[in-house]
Every structure is written in structure tokens, then in C-alpha cells.
Amino acid sequence: MKAIILAAGIASRLRPLTNDRPKCLLKIGDRSLLERTIDALLENNIREIVIVTGYLHEMLESFVQTRYPSLSVKFIHNELYATTNNIYSLWLALPEVQQEKEIILLDSDILFDPLMIKILRDAPHANCLALDSHKLGEEEIKVIVNGKNQITELSKTCSIEKAIGESIGIEKISHAYLLALHEELEHMILHEKLDNVFYELAFERLITRGQYFYPVDTSAYFSMELDTPEDFHDAINRIPKHLQA
């Protein structure tokens, strides 16, 4: 199994913290977000990683190569990081994992308990995502399901009242779904020029072709997305003791 980490963004909302480093190299305690993500993958015996870089990519690549000299890692540079969104980064990464039976896809700005990856891997569904059930607002990627617990809507703009929780930004994706996703992204980016949207839009479009994700409730485990300086300050106070080191 391989993992894709999307780490190309500028993270302008985090300035001045990101003036001189990518967002994922900001530290929570003794480790950066990227270290924590890579360590979580290694704890779950995932040792082949694709990292899509963009902003200050040389710093990120140098850090990983120095910190994890024996790690099997493939760097893909999104040269259009300043004008594209994570859908474009994902499109760049997919050719590296097309032969995999399944992959784990992660955003790089999540602080989370490594057990969440095990829970996704052990889930019975071929395609699933980590879900946090909590009070929702406008900012979260919200999840709506049908009577079969299949995700039918996945966006920031869907109904807060109908949503069952927030998609954290960690997904398990099967080989069959990867093939369908690559085809969809090719069309969206090359023909519709939809390169500056969230990749969840592709997930929603695949629903019409019978390709579904299932939510896996990981609310019992700590996670939070870090978008602002206030989030980082809050994370230091909120992170459980067993994850602080």
C-alpha cells in the first residue's frame, strides 16, 4: 500500500508563520505536521509515500530526505501551486499509484491520531473516509449519506442540517476507484479547466457513476485541521498527552 500526501499549498491564512516554510513543516510540540503524518504512516506499515510539493518545495524535500533517509518517497512538484487547488495536486500524483490495490490519501494540514489510519485500513468498505461528528459550520467539508450509508454529498456548501459530520481529509481508495478517479480528473482538468477546486468535487461527480465512499466514524480519536495561527495555538492546548511528543 502507498500513501499520497498533498502538501503544495501556500497557506496564506497562516502568515506570518508560513513566510519562511511550508505549512506542513510547522511544529506542534517537538514534531512538524509532516513528521507526524509520515510517522503515522510508518506506524501502520505504509512505507511508500508520494508527496506533492509546491510552495518552498526544496525545503520540504530536503527535510524529508534528511529526516527519513531510508524512506521510499517520490516527490512530485506542482509548479502551478499558486493558482491551483488540491485537485490538481491529486491529478499529478495519481499516475504513481495506478497499480496499487489500495492507497491512503491525506491532506498535509491535519493533526490526527495514527490509529485513524488503522481504522480506515480495517474498515470493510473498499472506499471510505474518516469522519468527525461534531457541530458543523460553513468552513468544514461536510458529509451527507443515503439510507445505505453511502456518501451522496461531500462539500463545504451542502446542508449543515442534513450532514452527519466533517470529512477530516484522510481517505482509503481502492484500485477500481483510482481508475475511475483518474479518468474523471483528466476530464475535469484538461477539458473543463477545473484545476482550482477541492478534489471532493470529483468524488461527488463519481457518485453519479455509482462510485461511492462510505464514512468511518473516527470521532473518538483526536484530529483537527490547522488553517490559522489561532488553530496552532489551540492545538498545543488540545492535543492529547500521548500525542504530544
Side-chain angles (χ1 to χ4, degrees):
M1 174 183 264
K2 291 184 179 179
I4 296 175
I5 302 173
L6 303 179
I10 297 174
S12 57
R13 284 191 291 172
L14 271 165
R15 286 179 171 155
L17 298 179
T18 53
N19 283 349
D20 63 349
R21 68 195 60 224
K23 178 181 186 176
C24 62
L25 293 188
L26 295 174
K27 285 189 173 183
I28 300 293
D30 294 332
R31 290 183 292 159
S32 67
L33 282 175
L34 185 59
E35 279 180 279
R36 290 178 175 276
T37 299
I38 292 175
D39 290 346
L41 292 169
L42 294 176
E43 283 181 37
N44 286 278
N45 203 33
I46 300 173
R47 304 188 178 279
E48 295 182 79
I49 303 174
V50 178
I51 303 177
V52 184
T53 68
Y55 177 60
L56 297 177
H57 69 101
E58 300 96 338
M59 178 183 293
L60 191 155
E61 292 169 16
S62 176
F63 173 82
V64 173
Q65 290 167 342
T66 301
R67 175 69 178 81
Y68 301 95
S70 61
L71 181 66
S72 176
V73 57
K74 169 75 173 182
F75 296 106
I76 297 176
H77 180 49
N78 176 1
E79 296 181 352
L80 303 180
Y81 68 87
T83 58
T84 60
N85 209 321
N86 61 10
I87 193 171
Y88 189 79
S89 292
L90 178 56
W91 177 62
L92 293 177
L94 283 187
E96 295 295 326
V97 298
Q98 287 294 287
Q99 304 306 314
E100 295 298 305
K101 181 179 178 182
E102 59 184 9
I103 70 162
I104 296 291
L105 172 64
L106 308 101
D107 297 332
S108 65
D109 58 355
I110 319 162
L111 184 61
F112 65 94
D113 192 317
L115 280 172
M116 291 169 62
I117 294 178
K118 182 181 187 306
I119 292 168
L120 281 183
R121 290 193 70 173
D122 292 346
H125 307 293
N127 306 295
C128 55
L129 57 77
L131 179 88
D132 187 6
S133 299
H134 64 90
K135 185 177 180 180
L136 300 169
E138 299 297 330
E139 183 62 24
E140 295 92 350
I141 298 286
K142 293 171 280 293
V143 173
I144 295 176
V145 298
N146 61 17
K148 297 179 181 179
N149 203 35
Q150 297 166 325
I151 295 175
T152 56
E153 293 185 56
L154 181 66
S155 72
K156 287 189 176 186
T157 58
C158 65
S159 169
I160 293 175
E161 290 73 23
K162 294 180 181 178
I164 62 170
E166 172 190 6
S167 174
I168 291 167
I170 309 175
E171 293 91 12
K172 180 179 72 173
I173 305 177
S174 70
H175 176 71
Y177 196 101
L178 285 173
L179 297 180
L181 179 60
H182 188 257
E183 181 181 340
E184 186 67 31
L185 292 183
E186 290 272 296
H187 186 79
M188 292 175 71
I189 290 170
L190 296 179
H191 299 287
E192 299 182 64
K193 310 303 179 185
L194 290 172
D195 58 7
N196 195 23
V197 297
F198 294 112
Y199 61 70
E200 283 86 0
L201 179 59
F203 294 171
E204 283 201 309
R205 288 170 59 141
L206 285 173
I207 291 167
T208 64
R209 291 161 56 182
Q211 299 280 358
Y212 291 98
F213 273 90
Y214 293 81
V216 175
D217 193 343
T218 57
S219 305
Y221 300 90
F222 176 80
S223 69
M224 65 181 294
E225 185 179 3
L226 303 175
D227 290 321
T228 66
E230 292 74 24
D231 289 340
F232 272 82
H233 181 269
D234 191 30
I236 294 172
N237 296 322
R238 286 182 55 193
I239 188 170
K241 286 186 178 181
H242 72 281
L243 299 178
Q244 289 177 1

